[in-house]
Amino acid sequence: MQRLNSHLHSKKNPPYAINLDPAVLKVPYGTHIDIRDSIKYKKVMENYQLGPNGAIVTSLNLFSTKIDQVINIVEKRQDNYKYCIIDTPGQIECFVWSASGSIITESFASTFPTVIAYIVDTPRNTSPTTFMSNMLYACSILYKTKLPMIIVFNKTDVKKADFAKEWMTDFEKFQQALSEDRELNGEGDSMGSGYMGSLVNSMSLMLEEFYSQLDMVQCSSYTGAGFDDFLNAVDKKMDEYEKYYKVERERILKEKAEKLENDKERSLNKLMNDLGIKDKNGEKKKSNVDDEVEVLSDYEEGEHDGIILRDEEEDYVEREYTFPTSDREKGEVNESTEPDLQKRYQDAFESTAKPVSGETAKNIARYISQ
């Protein structure tokens, strides 16, 4: 981040810099927005009694509640800056697989052309198995975020990444390197008695299609070499975002909006049907049978879906209900007592009901019609 920031300044094209790592002690570049200004990492650890990773996730959760304000600030500055560079926590799991990480990424990706840069430590990836582990990480991030990605092999001043480019483009070269690694370390050591070798072979075949979707660049944060190639790859991925990813994201958002609208319509139709409210044509509003909300009875077996009509039942007995009355301890509701019960209901209603003014009745009718 420091070298990229410095490189862009040297090109007279300074970026808008954001730091989202709450646990970093020192940021070697000037930031416009810093999560540490609003979230105190050590206080989060103390107050919530968390470890380092848990405190990072919690800090991101707290910060993500204000992400709309961050987006608004960046939007106001977008005419003055071509690039906005964002430094995320080095712990991949804390950011990529957390809810707050998804919220932050989605918020930026839905507003600006967004590109993911996955940084690989080149000297530590000379082993085929370690290299494959990193590629699986990159693959998971790509399919989690669904955003354009660039694989950046850093520290090329220590070790050139030509071997990695060969492994990503030539399957036979990777197989050869895997075989040499097995011979060097012995069958029972690094390769786990042949099991790991078989697994890595299968993974390399599976990731061949994954490699075709990536841009791979080499750079050195120490010397500054390769950063022009990185910026060219970013520009290319921005065009790719506009052409493919943005269209796909808009399609997904449109489907979600349509589904939400359909759900609201079904709920409204069901409510109007239950209340017996009529539509504009004076007909009773009915919800589409196919759109009805499914209930447990929909899954019951039988010719009538578990519903038995009274005239189909054998030896049907009219159910009698009892309730306490003032005249006697219990009384039965039947044909002889029903008129008396109705009279008591009417008397009780008239004694407790409040009169409704004409204006109130009109408002109630207008609310129901709406």
Side-chain angles (χ1 to χ4, degrees), residues 307-334:
I307 301 175
I308 302 176
L309 301 179
R310 288 187 174 183
D311 56 1
E312 295 177 358
E313 293 186 79
E314 296 181 0
D315 301 328
Y316 175 77
V317 179
E318 184 73 27
R319 182 173 298 175
E320 296 181 347
Y321 297 90
T322 60
F323 60 95
T325 66
S326 58
D327 300 331
R328 50 190 172 177
E329 186 63 26
K330 288 186 178 181
E332 295 182 351
V333 180
N334 48 43

Side-chain angles (χ1 to χ4, degrees), residues 26-198:
K26 181 181 178 181
V27 177
Y29 57 90
T31 59
H32 296 84
I33 297 176
D34 194 333
I35 188 175
R36 299 177 303 164
D37 294 337
S38 54
I39 308 295
K40 303 303 179 185
Y41 172 72
K42 290 186 177 179
K43 286 293 183 181
V44 171
M45 292 183 67
E46 294 175 3
N47 294 339
Y48 295 96
Q49 299 181 352
L50 298 170
N53 285 357
I56 290 175
V57 173
T58 303
S59 298
L60 289 170
N61 289 341
L62 295 172
F63 187 77
S64 65
T65 61
K66 304 295 183 181
I67 191 62
D68 58 324
Q69 299 178 19
V70 175
I71 297 297
N72 290 335
I73 293 173
V74 177
E75 278 187 308
K76 294 177 181 178
R77 305 290 190 274
Q78 63 181 344
D79 294 335
N80 302 326
Y81 299 92
K82 180 180 179 181
Y83 297 105
C84 175
I85 56 177
I86 304 171
D87 190 10
T88 61
Q91 292 85 339
I92 295 175
E93 298 85 355
C94 292
F95 185 78
V96 176
W97 298 107
S98 67
S100 55
S102 298
I103 292 171
I104 294 171
T105 304
E106 289 285 333
S107 299
F108 276 100
S110 61
T111 311
F112 311 102
T114 306
V115 179
I116 304 293
Y118 181 75
I119 316 301
V120 179
D121 191 326
T122 306
R124 295 180 180 272
N125 280 269
T126 55
S127 167
T129 52
T130 308
F131 172 82
M132 184 56 59
S133 298
N134 260 288
M135 292 302 102
L136 289 175
Y137 257 128
C139 181
S140 66
I141 294 173
L142 176 66
Y143 289 104
K144 170 68 174 178
T145 60
K146 296 181 176 65
L147 290 169
M149 176 181 283
I150 303 172
I151 304 293
V152 182
F153 285 89
N154 192 22
K155 302 183 181 179
T156 54
D157 57 293
V158 179
K159 174 70 176 178
K160 291 292 183 182
D162 296 334
F163 70 93
K165 187 174 183 179
E166 283 187 344
W167 291 353
M168 294 174 69
T169 55
D170 192 334
F171 174 75
E172 293 182 357
K173 288 286 186 180
F174 182 78
Q175 294 297 311
Q176 181 181 349
L178 191 61
S179 177
E180 291 174 357
D181 188 65
R182 293 183 62 180
E183 293 176 0
L184 180 65
N185 293 282
E187 181 68 19
D189 292 332
S190 67
M191 303 312 297
S193 301
Y195 171 76
M196 184 62 71
S198 176

Side-chain angles (χ1 to χ4, degrees), residues 113 115 148 232-246:
V115 179
N232 291 334
V234 171
D235 292 338
K236 178 183 176 182
K237 287 298 181 181
M238 287 174 64
D239 295 337
E240 185 178 310
Y241 172 92
E242 295 287 347
K243 187 176 181 180
Y244 300 107
Y245 289 85
K246 185 179 180 180

